[in-house]
Amino acid sequence: MGCGVPMIIRPFFGDQRLDARMVQDEWEIGVSVEGGIITKNGLLRSLDLILWQENGKKMRENARKFKQLAEKAIGPRGSSMENFKALVDIVSRPKDD
């Protein structure tokens, strides 16, 4: 997501199926391989979708938006930096007796 390009996803285990569903159906920044198995034809279809079809154009636009959000979050005043500073403050506090 941080690179701003659509993904072709092949979940293996654990929460990766949920992640793949989010990427494909909710955020619309990628596509899962058909049947969970990477094949030559399946990969070519996925690439065709991402690179040439109208849905792929939308995926590329959405991916660029996510990249911009990620860059903003890690900036000097971004939410990730603020959260990191808060964590450092919490773990640096002396223990109460």
Side-chain angles (χ1 to χ4, degrees):
M1 289 172 63
C3 293
V5 294
M7 295 180 260
I8 298 173
I9 307 151
R10 195 307 193 179
F12 286 96
F13 58 88
D15 63 347
Q16 293 176 351
R17 291 188 192 280
L18 177 61
D19 295 342
R21 187 170 156 262
M22 293 298 294
V23 166
Q24 180 174 310
D25 299 332
E26 298 298 322
W27 299 328
E28 297 177 342
I29 59 172
V31 61
S32 291
V33 295
E34 294 175 9
I37 299 172
I38 296 176
T39 63
K40 179 181 175 181
N41 289 334
L43 184 59
L44 290 173
R45 279 192 294 274
S46 296
L47 285 170
D48 180 61
L49 170 68
I50 288 174
L51 297 174
W52 306 111
Q53 295 181 26
E54 191 63 30
N55 287 346
K57 181 179 178 181
K58 183 178 179 183
M59 284 183 210
R60 292 191 305 275
E61 290 171 6
N62 290 343
R64 280 190 291 274
K65 289 177 188 175
F66 271 90
K67 178 184 179 183
Q68 292 169 349
L69 290 171
E71 288 173 346
K72 183 178 176 183
I74 62 170
R77 296 180 188 212
S79 61
S80 291
M81 288 303 295
E82 295 301 319
N83 290 336
F84 180 70
K85 289 175 190 176
L87 175 63
V88 169
D89 287 343
I90 291 168
V91 298
S92 299
R93 287 184 197 147
K95 277 189 164 183
D96 293 337
D97 292 318

